[in-house]
Amino acid sequence: MLEPRGAYQPTIIYRPILPSDLEVLEEIHVTLFPIRYERDFFLSVVQGHGIVSWAAVDVSRSDGDHDKLVGFVTTRVMSAKESEISDLLRYNASRQDLMLVYILTLGVVENYRNHGIATSLVCEVIKYASSITNCRAVYLHVISYNLPAIHFYEKMSFACVRRLQKFYYINGQHYDSYLFVYYVNGGHSLCSPLNIVAAVAAYLRDLFKMLVSKLWRKQEKHIPRYLKCRETCSPLVAQNRRILGADNSA
């Protein structure tokens, strides 16, 4: 039996989810999530079919279950252009292979919360996404009433970029969803602070050029005609003087 959360300090290690985790993985999902996942989903997770996952286990447990799941995160790597946030990303036209990592599920059993396990699991995902050179972001959905999850992702520096109306349908009722994004490898939104600063700088530069051009044309109009002629003719006069001087010398 585990000690209370405040007194117990577990020794957590992280590893991939294995086929031996199947039953516990299903049990935790049923306990934590209002959405019911199909058996095929869990089979894909434990077999690694299109899903990359991490498990958290407590090797210091006193009950001997040193390899039993106490937390997990499941993800899928997908094409950026086929994702629902493709319109939020700034694309390089020459790159057609940009990818994203989507967090499917993240959970920690109740007795192991407030030990930084969820933070470490998300950090593993971010580190993995960063290791994929053509990956530009990690993203996920959070149901609108899950305030602890919303605060958690905000604390992890995820940006809430969109609210999706009636995204979830659970027990005969619709719920909204928030879309959170964490950019990696130089990826950023079309409305990122960097782009805003660049756009303002470009606007001010063009405005400055336009004002200087108008001021120059305005001053040109007020220059007397004889001065313009003098400026135009003076090089010819100087040239003629040099020619005359040469003739006299001869």
Side-chain angles (χ1 to χ4, degrees):
M1 184 176 178
L2 296 177
E3 299 177 28
R5 283 183 296 180
Y8 183 64
Q9 295 298 325
T11 302
I12 304 297
I13 65 170
Y14 302 91
R15 60 166 176 77
I17 295 179
L18 305 173
S20 58
D21 299 317
L22 179 60
E23 299 301 327
V24 176
L25 185 66
E26 284 191 81
E27 291 174 5
I28 300 177
H29 274 77
V30 170
T31 302
L32 297 182
F33 303 116
I35 299 174
R36 294 296 172 256
Y37 294 87
E38 299 292 336
R39 180 77 171 185
D40 289 344
F41 167 74
F42 298 108
L43 291 174
S44 296
V45 173
V46 300
Q47 295 171 2
H49 290 168
I51 294 179
V52 182
S53 64
W54 289 263
V57 297
D58 179 10
V59 296
S60 61
R61 289 179 65 141
S62 58
D63 58 6
D65 288 333
H66 298 158
D67 206 40
K68 186 175 182 179
L69 289 186
V70 298
F72 60 85
V73 61
T74 63
T75 67
R76 176 179 287 122
V77 180
M78 60 198 320
S79 170
K81 288 194 173 181
E82 295 176 359
S83 74
E84 59 193 297
I85 66 168
S86 59
D87 61 318
L88 299 176
L89 295 170
R90 183 178 182 180
Y91 280 101
N92 182 343
S94 63
R95 296 296 301 271
Q96 303 294 326
D97 61 338
L98 296 182
M99 307 299 290
L100 303 171
V101 174
Y102 178 62
I103 296 180
L104 297 166
T105 59
L106 169 70
V108 177
V109 300
E110 186 175 358
N111 286 337
Y112 282 87
R113 292 175 186 172
N114 300 319
H115 287 294
I117 297 174
T119 299
S120 296
L121 288 167
V122 173
C123 286
E124 290 291 333
V125 176
I126 293 173
K127 183 168 63 175
Y128 170 72
S130 301
S131 71
I132 305 173
T133 56
N134 60 335
C135 181
R136 291 297 177 265
V138 177
Y139 80 104
L140 65 134
H141 297 93
V142 177
I143 198 166
S144 57
Y145 63 73
N146 192 349
L147 297 182
I150 292 171
H151 295 155
F152 168 76
Y153 287 111
E154 289 176 342
K155 185 179 178 181
M156 292 288 296
S157 299
F158 279 72
C160 183
V161 296
R162 183 172 290 168
R163 179 166 183 155
L164 305 173
Q165 301 290 333
K166 298 181 178 180
F167 183 82
Y168 293 105
Y169 185 72
I170 304 171
N171 298 327
Q173 186 172 350
H174 288 283
Y175 296 92
D176 294 349
S177 167
Y178 290 109
L179 186 62
F180 282 87
V181 180
Y182 186 99
Y183 297 100
V184 299
N185 296 330
H188 50 84
S189 166
L190 289 171
C191 298
S192 68
L194 180 63
N195 288 330
I196 294 175
V197 171
V200 171
Y203 171 76
L204 293 176
R205 183 177 64 249
D206 294 340
L207 180 63
F208 177 74
K209 289 181 178 179
M210 180 182 68
L211 291 176
V212 169
S213 177
K214 285 185 176 180
L215 182 61
W216 176 255
R217 287 197 298 268
K218 185 177 180 181
Q219 288 180 345
E220 260 191 336
K221 291 180 181 178
H222 292 83
I223 298 176
R225 182 173 297 177
Y226 74 89
L227 288 179
K228 292 183 180 179
C229 180
R230 181 179 177 183
E231 290 175 357
T232 305
C233 297
S234 56
L236 296 176
V237 172
Q239 184 179 1
N240 291 335
R241 284 176 180 173
R242 285 196 297 271
I243 294 173
L244 291 173
D247 292 341
N248 293 334
S249 298

